[in-house]
Amino acid sequence: MKEKLEKIKVVALEEINSASSTKGLEEIRIRLLGKKGELTGVLKEMGVLSKEERPVMGKIANDVREAIEDKMVKQKNIIKEIEQSKEFDTEAIDITLPGIKEEFGGLHPLNMVIEELSDVFIGMGFTIEEGPELEWAKYNFDMLNVPKDHSARDLQDTFYVHNDIVLRTQTSPIQVRTMLNQQPPIKMLAPGRVYRSDEIDATHSPVFHQVEGLVIDEGITMSDLKGTLDMFAKNLFGSQTKTKFRPHQFYFTEPSAEMDVTCFMCGGKGCRVCQNTGWIEILGCGMVHPNVLLDCNIDPNKYTGFAFGMGLDRITMIKYGISDLRLMFENDIRFLKQFK
Amino acid sequence: MLVSINWLKDFVEINNIELNEFTEKMTMSGTKVEGVEELGSEVTKVVVGKILSIEKHPDADKLVITKVDIGEEVIQIVTGAKNINVGDVIPTALIGAKLKDLKIKKSKLRGIESQGMMCSAGELGMNTSLLPKEQVDGIYILNNEYELGKDIKSILGLDDTVVDFELTSNRSDCLSVIGIAREVSATFNKHLILPIIEVKEIKEDINDYLKVSIEDEQLCPRYVTRMMRINKIGPSPDWMQRRLLNSGVRPINNIVDVTNYVMLEMGQPLHAFDYDKLESKEIFVRKAKKDEVFTTLDGVKRVLDENMIVISNGKDPMAIAGAMGGENSEIDNSTKMIVIESANFNKKSVRHTGRKLGLRSEAANRFEKGVDPDLADLAADRAVQLLHELGVGEVLHGRIDVYPKVVCKKTININSVWFNKFIGIDLSILQMKEYLERLFLTVEVEGDQLIIGIPTYRQDLEIKEDIAEEIVRLYGYNNIPNTIMSGVTTKGGRTKSQTLIKDMKTFLSSKGFYEILTTSFTGEGQLEDLNINKNKDFYNGVKVINPLGEENSIMRPTLIPGLLQGISHNYNRNIVEGMFYEVAVTYKNTIDIGEKLPTEEKNISMGIYGEKNFFHLKGYVELLIKKLMIEEKVEYINSNHPTFHPKRVAKIIIKGVDVGILGEIHPIVVENYELPRRTYVCELRLEELLKLSNNNIAFTELPKYPEISRDVALIVEEKVSAKEVEDIIRVNGKGLLEDLKLFDVYRGAQIDEGYKSMAYSLIFRSKEKTLTDIEINEIFDKIIAQAQVNLGAQLRE
């Protein structure tokens, strides 16, 4: 019997070793260890053995069984590994095929610039203010100290929808509204759409966009105006940007200035964008005219402030190198796609 | 304004200043340089020559052989020029000369040697647009004799630099060479040298010939006249013509040229009348009569109105103030006596006149911006002085000066402590005084106060802030330090609505939508193309009184036309699909416009075409509403909006409020706008949505008890809507129905024609206990029973 068991063991281990599939292995298990299996059969014969022989044989039989089972587990793992590897081969994919995706769209470049600008000024404690596009002529002109007979008020320049109501020609009336509604300190930024009676061409449009900024507080100085706008320019165009302030004239500020920044294309060396000057004119600004403060019920002896305004369409065009203003309103997807 | 540097040098010493430094510093002190043209910079070795002889070329019909005296020698030039005669003085380019576009080399023309070239105005780089045709065509013939062999550039004004200054509208005092010279003087701290004006008069007295009166001193604050007897009318001397040309003014004759010269030099527009043509001894400045007709010297009949000023002979107009003289008083070769007018006219009236008659002139430009009334007498004197010096005629004794209200010199006080605090610098009071005096303001110091006297030409200086600018622009804006604002901190940031809109845009962009920008204008045509009945108050939107064309005459009541144009633009460029949105303002009229402003409402429009359909767009709308955290029930109900497919359009209602429309564009509109056959569009009232937004996020405990899910498929007639089925399921859900999802709509095999199977997955859960199958079966049976009764639904087994 012992020889029988040993023989079973040798044969079995041999068979298991050469089994190459989970299925084959299972067949071996059933043939050896199943209810009608070889080893089971041998064990059944144990009944005929003497009391002394039974435990000895039993131990041998168990050892054989354990050896077989042990071997089976090991072989099973080996086979599994091989089978899995075969399965992996059949499941191979071309990892260079394109990903499955939903394309994203994008913001209009003009609004990208508005958001960027807004974030810069929000960081300096500014609020974002809005106002009507159909605006009282009074707010658009009179309260901004624009002379009664100024040509900007003419029908040739300004759209009217009523004798006293214009399509605002600037975002500046939002200053007026903010000053009328809020007490200083005021720090506001107002991006918005404005209108002037210009025929459409590569650089003009009757509909365009501006952003207006206003600060009113006690002790605001012209050096604050310069410091704030210089910081803004560095934030928007890069920390190496330099600014230059030139005297200018606006009705609602005194002193007034225009601010140039070093060209962000060439860094000031001179190129096509800056027309070889190294500088780009960016905005108009100045100290708020006392007449404007008075009209808005703010005491010019107590408060001072500064204001600035710039054309957003132009800034956007310069920033991205857009050649024709009309592209901004055409909404050609091949244009829009370029601003992600 | 174009300013000749050579002319400027008459009044201020700038020889040692480099051009770059000049332009940079002028710009930085407030007189912006727009451009610089160095005339004749490409021209070398061109000298004065005189034609001694002209002979035919033996071998060429069109060429001639000339001998030209260039001082030290006589050279031979072969030319094809036709306008030359023996004795003509001409610009002669020598061998090795450079002209605007060419170099001169020794050459042979049909076998005959040519040692140079005679030049035309264009070849020398002269401003040919201002020269008469006869001086542009052919060789440029000089008017006067010059030293032969002399360099031509100084003679033709080509040794000059012309600077184009961009002046702000308040600085009318800078619209002259002297005005600019004052700024140059202040900027570079150089002396200003003004011309000495002395008039040599004859005995005859102007008062024996003329009386002047003004109807309205508001319209004409001052009117000065001088008179002259004329000897000779002809071209003005070359030097004067050069200066006019370099300033962009066309030379005409000596009288007109002098009036222009003085205007350019001093800033005072002048006019000259033929005295004899006045046919009276009177000048009366009055308002024009309504519809008064007057022929200006260009031969055009002008219809005047009562806002214009005319200079009359007591009866008929002789000139329109600030615009143009009349044919009836024009100077001609037989003119014997002239009246020089040096007047001050009301800016508004001159501007009105110019606009109404479509006349623009250098004179009008100056009047519109404001001419110093104190200048009139000086300018009149300067003009007659020059005319006399040029030998044009003799000056009558005296001048007539009607000046009812002499303008007073203003004074402005400014406190030096205030100034330093306002600008954020620390200048001494004496530094301030020095800067102001450089600008020709008079300054007295009293303690901290500066008392400043303002010359009458500085009409722009009114308040202390104006004075602050004067000091600081000379001190240098860029010498002011850059500082951070002091004071209390302010809480900046976007409002809740602004943040929501920003988030919404980010969301839509991430979903594949492109943001567009469309015009705020629309027109009746575009609205009609939306298939909307003309009676709708839509058309009574806000109308622009002075639109740029019909298509821009109405402020858009809807964003849809702009969106459709955008879609059409792309579709017609073979772009197969697109998704667009815009957040923008729409406008509605109010009955009491003028009392109130029209209403403006922010809307959002979305449009898609290509693979996606109605339900994709609806899906985005649903997500958008979710993103805005609107918790109220959203209803989609049928609509009869004529822009949309009548069976594929939904009005969106939240809490009883109509918040927008969603649907497929009507085929008629598709045709009108040239759209893809299937275009899906929605327009939502953003402000209403924002009102409904509840962005307070509150956490809800996770469920403690398990869910039970059941699927059910109901067969219903086609006409039954999903909403009807869902309503029944929800009503019977008893608060235990947690979620409901339609996962399939099936038509086809096993389902009768005209019916559809709608498969829902229902999820039940209780907050209090674990639900049993028995409880759910009860609800489930009820749903099916109700659906059977109300909708004729059958359970699909």
Side-chain angles (χ1 to χ4, degrees):
Chain A
M1 187 174 251
K2 191 183 167 187
E3 291 77 39
K4 230 176 182 176
L5 282 168
E6 287 298 335
K7 198 185 165 203
I8 287 173
K9 182 181 162 187
V10 171
V11 173
L13 292 181
E14 189 66 24
E15 277 181 344
I16 290 167
N17 212 22
S18 54
S20 62
S21 70
T22 315
K23 205 180 149 203
L25 204 63
E26 182 62 10
E27 278 169 14
I28 295 168
R29 192 190 66 81
I30 292 168
R31 187 151 48 76
L32 289 170
L33 309 175
K35 275 180 188 166
K36 290 171 183 168
E38 264 182 76
L39 189 64
T40 321
V42 176
L43 289 176
K44 274 177 187 163
E45 289 167 20
M46 293 256 284
V48 302
L49 293 179
S50 67
K51 259 185 189 170
E52 294 75 29
E53 272 180 323
R54 230 183 270 166
V56 179
M57 271 311 142
K59 192 176 175 303
I60 294 170
N62 261 336
D63 287 348
V64 169
R65 185 190 182 97
E66 263 171 38
I68 291 171
E69 277 177 348
D70 210 42
K71 180 73 187 166
M72 282 200 126
V73 169
K74 279 183 188 138
Q75 187 64 16
K76 200 173 178 179
N77 284 339
I78 291 165
I79 291 169
K80 201 170 168 190
E81 217 168 276
I82 293 164
E83 283 183 344
Q84 209 162 44
S85 141
K86 272 187 196 153
E87 199 182 339
F88 285 158
D89 285 344
T90 64
E91 287 175 358
I93 56 168
D94 177 359
I95 52 161
T96 63
L97 286 174
I100 296 162
K101 60 195 172 277
E102 233 180 281
E103 284 294 344
F104 52 79
L107 283 179
H108 192 280
L110 184 99
N111 283 325
M112 286 172 70
V113 169
I114 290 180
E115 294 304 331
E116 211 178 324
L117 263 167
S118 301
D119 287 337
V120 169
F121 281 99
I122 284 170
M124 296 193 243
F126 282 60
T127 56
I128 308 295
E129 302 292 336
E130 291 166 85
E133 293 174 16
L134 308 179
E135 181 61 281
W136 299 113
K138 191 178 146 190
Y139 285 7
N140 192 73
F141 295 122
D142 304 52
M143 293 186 74
L144 291 162
N145 203 31
V146 177
K148 268 269 180 256
D149 58 355
H150 195 273
S151 63
R153 296 173 184 251
D154 289 354
L155 284 166
Q156 281 96 327
D157 288 347
T158 299
F159 293 115
Y160 283 79
V161 297
H162 179 272
N163 237 348
D164 303 323
I165 304 172
V166 300
L167 301 194
R168 67 177 178 203
T169 61
Q170 46 190 358
T171 40
S172 309
I174 306 175
Q175 278 187 26
V176 175
R177 287 178 173 271
T178 308
M179 282 191 271
L180 289 173
N181 293 327
Q182 290 177 27
Q183 287 301 309
I186 292 169
K187 286 183 192 164
M188 62 136 243
L189 190 77
R193 180 167 273 202
V194 297
Y195 304 85
R196 283 179 205 173
S197 191
D198 281 325
E199 293 287 349
I200 297 174
D201 65 24
T203 52
H204 294 88
S205 163
V207 178
F208 59 106
H209 304 81
Q210 280 187 345
V211 64
E212 190 81 8
L214 175 74
V215 170
I216 306 282
D217 200 356
E218 286 180 55
I220 294 291
T221 65
M222 195 163 167
S223 59
D224 293 338
L225 155 77
K226 283 190 66 206
T228 306
L229 293 178
D230 184 74
M231 184 144 74
F232 145 72
K234 288 182 163 60
N235 266 314
L236 192 70
F237 303 120
S239 54
Q240 74 293 344
T241 305
K242 290 193 196 76
T243 55
K244 185 165 90 174
F245 291 77
R246 287 179 284 104
H248 200 71
Q249 184 239 348
F250 303 108
Y251 291 106
F252 30 95
T253 52
E254 189 68 39
S256 304
E258 279 186 330
M259 184 177 91
D260 297 342
V261 299
T262 41
C263 177
F264 33 81
M265 282 304 263
C266 64
K269 284 190 215 82
C271 68
R272 191 182 52 82
V273 172
C274 58
Q275 288 161 346
N276 283 318
T277 62
W279 295 91
I280 292 175
E281 186 182 315
I282 280 294
L283 56 78
C285 57
M287 300 301 287
V288 181
H289 197 288
N291 290 356
V292 174
L293 293 175
L294 276 175
D295 279 346
C296 295
N297 308 321
I298 291 175
D299 179 2
N301 293 318
K302 186 172 179 196
Y303 294 104
T304 50
F306 63 79
F308 56 91
M310 68 189 113
L312 286 168
D313 309 78
R314 193 172 154 269
I315 303 266
T316 307
M317 288 171 72
I318 295 171
K319 188 173 157 99
Y320 296 111
I322 299 165
S323 52
D324 191 321
L325 179 57
R326 285 166 289 202
L327 284 168
M328 305 258 280
F329 292 93
E330 222 170 52
N331 301 313
D332 193 305
I333 214 164
R334 295 162 299 180
F335 169 81
L336 297 170
K337 250 186 192 163
Q338 300 179 32
F339 310 94
K340 303 264 183 187
Chain B
M1 190 182 62
L2 302 176
V3 174
S4 146
I5 290 284
N6 283 349
W7 197 346
L8 197 60
K9 283 177 181 169
D10 282 2
F11 308 116
V12 64
E13 164 61 46
I14 47 171
N15 279 329
N16 301 330
I17 300 165
E18 289 288 319
L19 187 58
N20 275 345
E21 187 194 354
F22 177 80
T23 59
E24 171 72 11
K25 287 202 172 152
M26 287 306 287
T27 296
M28 298 316 289
S29 72
T31 315
K32 188 180 179 191
V33 174
E34 263 296 279
V36 173
E37 196 188 350
E38 291 180 76
L39 302 175
S41 56
E42 309 117 311
V43 178
T44 57
K45 282 188 93 174
V46 182
V47 301
V48 179
K50 189 173 185 174
I51 302 174
L52 299 179
S53 66
I54 303 174
E55 281 166 34
K56 280 191 172 168
H57 190 293
D59 299 321
D61 290 347
K62 290 186 175 163
L63 295 177
V64 289
I65 303 159
T66 67
K67 298 273 188 242
V68 178
D69 184 353
I70 53 165
E72 289 182 354
E73 57 175 319
V74 173
I75 57 172
Q76 176 172 284
I77 295 176
V78 181
T79 175
K82 289 184 192 72
N83 67 325
I84 48 169
N85 292 299
V86 171
D88 281 349
V89 180
I90 43 132
T92 312
L94 307 177
I95 303 298
K98 274 187 206 153
L99 299 179
K100 198 159 176 267
D101 301 308
L102 72 161
K103 259 183 166 175
I104 306 301
K105 283 180 279 187
K106 192 187 273 189
S107 61
K108 277 188 179 170
L109 287 159
R110 291 280 175 102
I112 307 280
E113 191 175 285
S114 182
Q115 295 161 314
M117 194 182 100
M118 303 180 190
C119 307
S120 70
E123 283 159 345
L124 292 167
M126 293 174 76
N127 190 345
T128 50
S129 65
L130 292 173
L131 291 170
K133 197 173 177 297
E134 63 270 19
Q135 289 184 25
V136 176
D137 294 344
I139 304 305
Y140 186 80
I141 315 282
L142 296 166
N143 284 334
N144 308 48
E145 294 273 344
Y146 294 94
E147 182 195 328
L148 298 182
K150 193 182 171 188
D151 192 283
I152 202 77
K153 288 209 284 189
S154 62
I155 292 164
L156 294 181
L158 293 172
D159 57 344
D160 202 356
T161 298
V162 176
V163 178
D164 187 2
F165 289 101
E166 184 198 275
L167 299 171
T168 55
S169 61
N170 61 333
R171 293 301 305 273
S172 55
D173 62 301
C174 288
L175 286 166
S176 64
V177 182
I178 290 178
I180 294 291
R182 276 194 295 256
E183 284 296 315
V184 174
S185 157
T187 303
F188 295 96
N189 208 3
K190 300 272 183 192
H191 284 296
L192 182 71
I193 310 138
L194 293 177
I196 296 159
I197 302 173
E198 282 171 345
V199 183
K200 288 208 178 76
E201 297 176 335
I202 54 171
K203 286 224 171 95
E204 279 180 281
D205 193 315
I206 185 170
N207 292 298
D208 296 337
Y209 291 90
L210 192 65
K211 281 202 164 47
V212 177
S213 54
I214 298 171
E215 180 190 20
D216 183 344
E217 65 186 57
Q218 295 283 13
L219 293 179
C220 177
R222 191 176 189 185
Y223 198 93
V224 175
T225 48
R226 274 282 197 173
M227 282 182 67
M228 287 184 79
R229 286 206 173 274
I230 300 304
N231 301 333
K232 144 188 131 190
I233 294 180
S236 58
D238 280 349
W239 66 265
M240 183 173 276
Q241 293 198 27
R242 299 306 152 236
R243 286 191 168 182
L244 292 178
L245 277 175
N246 291 355
S247 308
V249 173
R250 185 190 306 271
I252 311 274
N253 61 41
N254 44 19
I255 295 178
V256 176
D257 288 359
V258 165
T259 60
N260 281 330
Y261 186 86
V262 173
M263 174 181 72
L264 293 171
E265 183 179 81
M266 303 178 78
Q268 170 68 55
L270 302 173
H271 184 65
F273 298 96
D274 185 327
Y275 175 75
D276 296 316
K277 289 185 184 167
L278 284 181
E279 291 178 340
S280 77
K281 290 187 161 193
E282 187 185 354
I283 280 179
F284 179 49
V285 184
R286 62 162 169 89
K287 285 182 206 168
K289 292 166 192 144
K290 190 169 172 16
D291 297 329
E292 191 165 8
V293 178
F294 175 61
T295 309
T296 42
L297 49 79
D298 53 1
V300 179
K301 273 194 181 169
R302 313 273 178 179
V303 181
L304 312 182
D305 68 37
E306 60 270 53
N307 292 318
M308 300 176 185
I309 313 165
V310 294
I311 290 81
S312 78
N313 60 357
K315 209 170 94 224
D316 300 321
M318 295 284 125
I320 309 169
M324 207 183 260
E327 227 174 21
N328 57 1
S329 61
E330 194 183 353
I331 285 165
D332 58 41
N333 289 332
S334 60
T335 297
K336 293 280 171 290
M337 216 172 183
I338 59 164
V339 177
I340 298 278
E341 161 201 291
S342 178
N344 200 277
F345 297 115
N346 178 285
K347 349 176 173 183
K348 203 176 168 182
S349 169
V350 172
R351 188 160 63 80
H352 166 82
T353 307
R355 291 246 165 164
K356 192 92 183 264
L357 301 181
L359 287 171
R360 299 285 312 136
S361 69
E362 290 276 341
N365 179 37
R366 285 170 175 79
F367 281 127
E368 284 173 21
K369 293 193 169 120
V371 172
D372 175 19
D374 261 12
L375 196 59
D377 52 342
L378 277 177
D381 285 1
R382 176 72 171 150
V384 293
Q385 175 197 17
L386 283 169
L387 285 168
H388 179 256
E389 281 172 11
L390 299 183
V392 180
E394 309 302 328
V395 184
L396 269 64
H397 175 71
R399 60 173 175 244
I400 299 175
D401 186 352
V402 186
Y403 192 11
K405 249 190 209 154
V406 176
V407 288
C408 299
K409 231 178 155 185
K410 275 175 292 189
T411 48
I412 299 171
N413 292 357
I414 169 174
N415 183 295
S416 60
V417 178
W418 169 85
F419 168 83
N420 278 327
K421 209 178 145 216
F422 180 57
I423 304 296
I425 51 176
D426 192 18
L427 285 188
S428 75
I429 200 160
L430 290 175
Q431 281 173 295
M432 297 179 200
K433 183 172 186 282
E434 193 219 308
Y435 286 129
L436 293 171
E437 282 173 346
R438 263 161 68 176
L439 287 159
F440 309 99
L441 311 183
T442 61
V443 184
E444 277 176 55
V445 176
E446 272 180 29
D448 287 341
Q449 291 283 324
L450 295 124
I451 300 147
I452 297 142
I454 312 296
T456 49
Y457 57 81
R458 288 304 302 272
Q459 296 172 1
D460 59 313
L461 300 181
E462 288 172 333
I463 55 171
K464 62 181 192 298
E465 285 79 4
D466 295 328
I467 299 299
E469 181 174 273
E470 293 304 297
I471 300 172
V472 86
R473 74 187 173 93
L474 283 197
Y475 171 71
Y477 275 17
N478 294 303
N479 294 325
I480 302 171
N482 292 342
T483 56
I484 301 281
M485 293 178 270
S486 57
V488 294
T489 53
T490 47
K491 182 191 166 294
R494 292 179 176 83
T495 61
K496 187 180 147 186
S497 296
Q498 288 163 350
T499 308
L500 280 170
I501 290 175
K502 188 171 184 256
D503 290 352
M504 215 174 69
K505 286 184 176 185
T506 312
F507 161 75
L508 286 172
S509 297
S510 73
K511 285 285 167 199
F513 282 86
Y514 283 102
E515 185 184 29
I516 59 172
L517 214 56
T518 67
T519 174
S520 312
F521 298 122
T522 187
E524 277 194 15
Q526 282 159 273
L527 294 176
E528 266 173 67
D529 283 348
L530 290 179
N531 196 27
I532 292 172
N533 185 318
K534 266 199 116 169
N535 298 327
K536 290 272 180 186
D537 48 338
F538 229 53
Y539 288 86
N540 299 322
V542 189
K543 291 211 171 80
V544 181
I545 293 171
N546 50 336
L548 290 175
E550 191 280 324
E551 69 278 16
N552 296 315
S553 61
I554 301 173
M555 297 308 290
R556 62 181 170 203
T558 162
L559 302 182
I560 293 178
L563 174 65
L564 295 184
Q565 279 163 355
I567 291 177
S568 175
H569 173 94
N570 285 290
Y571 174 65
N572 289 302
R573 276 156 189 80
N574 294 323
I575 293 158
V576 293
E577 58 179 348
M579 293 163 70
F580 304 97
Y581 76 96
E582 181 179 27
V583 174
V585 177
T586 58
Y587 314 83
K588 269 192 199 77
N589 219 340
T590 60
I591 310 160
D592 48 355
I593 182 169
E595 300 288 315
K596 279 199 277 178
L597 290 173
T599 317
E600 292 181 26
E601 204 186 325
K602 221 175 256 169
N603 281 9
I604 175 167
S605 64
M606 295 159 69
I608 60 177
Y609 76 94
E611 288 293 297
K612 294 193 163 104
N613 63 29
F614 179 94
F615 295 103
H616 289 101
L617 184 58
K618 186 178 174 188
Y620 292 121
V621 170
E622 286 168 340
L623 283 174
L624 197 68
I625 289 169
K626 221 182 224 178
K627 180 82 197 163
L628 290 172
M629 287 188 268
I630 295 170
E631 286 162 355
E632 277 77 12
K633 196 171 149 203
V634 184
E635 289 176 88
Y636 295 85
I637 64 169
N638 292 328
S639 159
N640 55 3
H641 195 306
T643 302
F644 295 92
H645 186 306
K647 299 292 174 191
R648 294 183 175 182
V649 55
K651 199 194 267 188
I652 308 172
I653 311 277
I654 305 178
K655 240 181 142 179
V657 180
D658 181 349
V659 295
I661 191 98
L662 159 70
E664 180 181 321
I665 294 295
H666 196 288
I668 290 175
V669 181
V670 164
E671 209 168 288
N672 291 341
Y673 276 87
E674 296 176 52
L675 295 170
R677 176 67 189 87
R678 305 284 175 194
T679 300
Y680 304 92
V681 161
C682 84
E683 181 170 28
L684 305 174
R685 297 172 65 195
L686 192 53
E687 286 170 38
E688 293 299 332
L689 290 178
L690 293 176
K691 272 187 229 161
L692 291 162
S693 166
N694 170 21
N695 65 349
N696 299 323
I697 298 174
F699 170 70
T700 318
E701 286 297 336
L702 299 182
K704 288 196 183 81
Y705 300 99
E707 59 175 45
I708 291 184
S709 97
R710 285 289 163 87
D711 288 353
V712 58
L714 293 168
I715 299 166
V716 291
E717 273 185 87
E718 278 290 357
K719 67 174 186 203
V720 175
S721 73
K723 184 180 181 295
E724 288 172 292
V725 178
E726 282 166 27
D727 280 351
I728 284 177
I729 298 174
R730 282 188 204 280
V731 167
N732 291 291
K734 267 188 175 176
L736 296 177
L737 182 71
E738 189 182 74
D739 200 8
L740 158 73
K741 247 189 212 107
L742 177 70
F743 66 86
D744 188 31
V745 180
Y746 175 76
R747 297 172 182 86
Q750 299 153 12
I751 305 293
D752 292 344
E753 184 83 14
Y755 286 82
K756 60 188 171 185
S757 161
M758 306 185 74
Y760 287 92
S761 147
L762 315 182
I763 290 172
F764 297 94
R765 193 199 304 272
S766 160
K767 280 176 188 154
E768 282 109 33
K769 56 178 183 180
T770 302
L771 291 174
T772 63
D773 274 347
I774 300 165
E775 284 166 297
I776 298 307
N777 287 344
E778 204 177 294
I779 292 171
F780 202 74
D781 292 345
K782 232 178 176 178
I783 290 172
I784 290 158
Q786 280 265 314
Q788 246 166 13
V789 174
N790 292 2
L791 308 174
Q794 294 294 321
L795 185 66
R796 186 176 176 208
E797 301 294 348

